[in-house]
Amino acid sequence: MTARDPVTPIDAPLPTPRQAAALPIDAAAVEAAIVGRRSVRAFLPDRLVPRPLIERLLQLAARAPSGTNTQPWKVYVLQGAARDALVQKVCAAHDALRADPGLAAQYQEAYDYYPRQWVSPYVDRRRENGWGLYGLLGIGKGDKDKMHAQHQRNFRFFDAPVGLMVTIDTVMGRGSLVDTGMFLQTLMIAARAHGLDTCPQAAWNPYARIILPHIGAGDNEMLVCGMALGYADPHALVNRFETPREPLERFVTWVE
């Protein structure tokens, strides 16, 4: 433990839903965890996350809602040598794909995370996000080497000591992706409440053919996404990047 570690009751049992409902709510703390959640792209690699804390975060995330309580998510936690070996495998594939784009047919996502054809306003937000991040890092539009290196940071979990891979059974419908999204958000908010940071990563999805055997997933499992988990590097320039949110009037319609 260090002076920066938050005081967390990770050894205490979670309250039951009924017990929790009777406890006072600290709205400011809940809001701080929500607003403070961000996609961190530089972690402290040597500041490890204790297993009891990871377990507690997953227990909290498991309280996420799911249709008819199916709880379709499955989580693989990668640390140490297993994490490092996966990083090496996927980084090598990423480099090989750049050298030979014809290999792209071998690396297909199980589901379309992004649209096949971009339209406004979504493409505008995507471009703002991409060039805002790359601009902060001094990566120009034509600098393919730096862009490749920055993209590959995904496959190093941005140096986070903990990597997560989340899957669902292929028999499940698209609603299970919604359920798993709520699980992931709950996990990220819980992590923030305990002083940790995260980065959800769909970038791993094309490399499922490498990832799934590595983690021991069954033939019936589909990769939903990966996630980096750890403590943010407070001095990293990339962690100064903040994404805007649309005002309510652009996405809310009041029907009265």
Side-chain angles (χ1 to χ4, degrees):
M1 296 288 287
T2 71
R4 292 179 298 171
D5 283 315
V7 177
T8 55
I10 58 175
D11 295 326
L14 290 177
T16 67
R18 181 170 296 182
Q19 290 170 335
L23 295 174
I25 298 296
D26 185 342
V30 174
E31 291 182 357
I34 294 172
V35 178
R37 186 222 60 83
R38 57 195 174 124
S39 292
V40 163
R41 295 178 175 87
F43 291 84
L44 298 173
D46 298 326
R47 192 175 179 200
L48 304 182
V49 184
R51 178 165 176 165
L53 179 51
I54 300 172
E55 291 176 346
R56 189 171 189 88
L57 298 180
L58 293 170
Q59 286 178 326
L60 289 164
R63 294 305 312 172
S66 59
T68 63
N69 200 35
T70 50
Q71 304 174 66
W73 46 78
K74 191 170 183 179
V75 182
Y76 296 85
V77 182
L78 292 117
Q79 297 175 279
R83 173 207 172 279
D84 296 345
L86 181 63
V87 166
Q88 291 177 0
K89 290 177 183 179
V90 177
C91 284
H94 184 237
D95 287 337
L97 183 57
R98 185 193 185 195
D100 181 6
L103 296 174
Q106 300 180 26
Y107 301 109
Q108 299 295 316
E109 298 176 315
Y111 68 98
D112 291 332
Y113 186 90
Y114 292 113
R116 297 186 180 182
Q117 181 176 356
W118 286 93
V119 298
S120 292
Y122 315 111
V123 67
D124 307 314
R125 296 170 187 163
R126 176 181 172 87
R127 287 170 178 162
E128 179 185 27
N129 183 78
W131 295 122
L133 175 62
Y134 283 4
L136 177 67
L137 297 175
I139 301 175
K141 187 173 183 179
D143 199 333
K144 302 299 183 182
D145 290 339
K146 288 185 178 179
M147 291 175 69
H148 179 78
Q150 179 58 35
H151 187 64
Q152 193 169 101
R153 294 278 297 151
N154 277 281
F155 310 128
R156 302 181 187 279
F157 292 106
F158 300 109
D159 296 329
V162 181
L164 306 176
M165 290 294 162
V166 181
T167 71
I168 60 173
D169 195 311
T170 54
V171 74
M172 302 303 286
R174 286 185 292 179
S176 289
L177 289 173
V178 177
D179 297 338
T180 306
M182 291 188 282
F183 170 87
L184 292 166
Q185 175 71 348
T186 306
L187 174 59
M188 291 186 284
I189 297 302
R192 191 70 218 107
H194 282 267
L196 288 92
D197 284 286
T198 54
C199 186
Q201 301 170 274
W204 292 95
N205 291 5
Y207 300 96
R209 62 176 297 189
I210 297 173
I211 297 165
L212 295 176
H214 182 87
I215 61 178
D219 293 338
N220 62 318
E221 291 181 57
M222 178 183 81
L223 181 64
V224 176
C225 70
M227 181 181 290
L229 172 69
Y231 294 95
D233 182 346
H235 305 297
L237 176 64
V238 70
N239 286 339
R240 299 180 190 175
F241 182 63
E242 295 183 3
T243 55
R245 291 296 184 270
E246 294 293 308
L248 292 186
E249 57 267 24
R250 293 189 182 177
F251 67 90
V252 175
T253 299
W254 300 95
V255 183
E256 299 177 349

